[in-house]
Amino acid sequence: MKKIVSLFIMMVANIDSAYALTYESMMERSQETRSIYIAGLGEGFSWANSAAVVDDFRLYCQPNKLALNGRMYVQILDDFVARKEKTEPDIKQQEVGLLMYMALLDVFPCE
């Protein structure tokens, strides 16, 4: 399973920018569209994380008793980008899905 996740992350990172929704381009969309998109990404990662547990592997380690909603996913992503932008000025040109995963891993690391 770890190989599949690694392959997925490499594929996402190499997507042609014409097909990828960057954080910067996402910020140009309406608040409602942005919230729905990020909530969908978060829920997708949540389901993938749940499925990965079957193989004794987790993408990130969110506490079992913590349920996230769309607003929380948006906050996690925005906070991550704001923090990283100080040391990585081009972070907003990254694909939103990859940033969402990196943000979840940052907030909920597996130790």
Side-chain angles (χ1 to χ4, degrees):
M1 184 61 151
K2 289 181 184 180
K3 290 180 183 179
I4 292 172
V5 172
S6 297
L7 180 61
F8 170 75
I9 291 171
M10 288 189 314
M11 286 174 34
V12 169
N14 290 314
I15 292 175
D16 182 7
S17 62
Y19 298 103
L21 179 62
T22 66
Y23 184 85
E24 186 173 63
S25 64
M26 182 193 60
M27 294 301 288
E28 297 170 358
R29 304 183 190 255
S30 72
Q31 181 66 32
E32 181 180 17
T33 299
R34 191 171 158 254
S35 294
I36 291 169
Y37 186 81
I38 293 171
L41 282 173
E43 285 299 309
F45 278 117
S46 178
W47 280 106
N49 203 32
S50 295
V53 171
V54 173
D55 290 332
D56 198 29
F57 175 75
R58 297 184 76 172
L59 300 174
Y60 55 94
C61 294
Q62 176 181 334
N64 291 331
K65 294 184 179 184
L66 177 63
L68 298 177
N69 61 33
R71 187 174 294 159
M72 294 166 90
Y73 285 119
V74 170
Q75 191 68 53
I76 288 169
L77 178 62
D78 288 347
D79 288 352
F80 177 78
V81 171
R83 219 171 355 94
K84 290 293 186 178
E85 191 174 27
K86 296 172 187 171
T87 57
E88 300 174 38
D90 64 339
I91 195 160
K92 289 184 177 180
Q93 280 74 47
Q94 295 294 324
E95 198 273 329
V96 180
L98 179 60
L99 290 175
M100 184 78 248
Y101 173 66
M102 292 168 58
L104 288 168
L105 188 58
D106 183 67
V107 173
F108 305 116
C110 297
E111 298 175 13

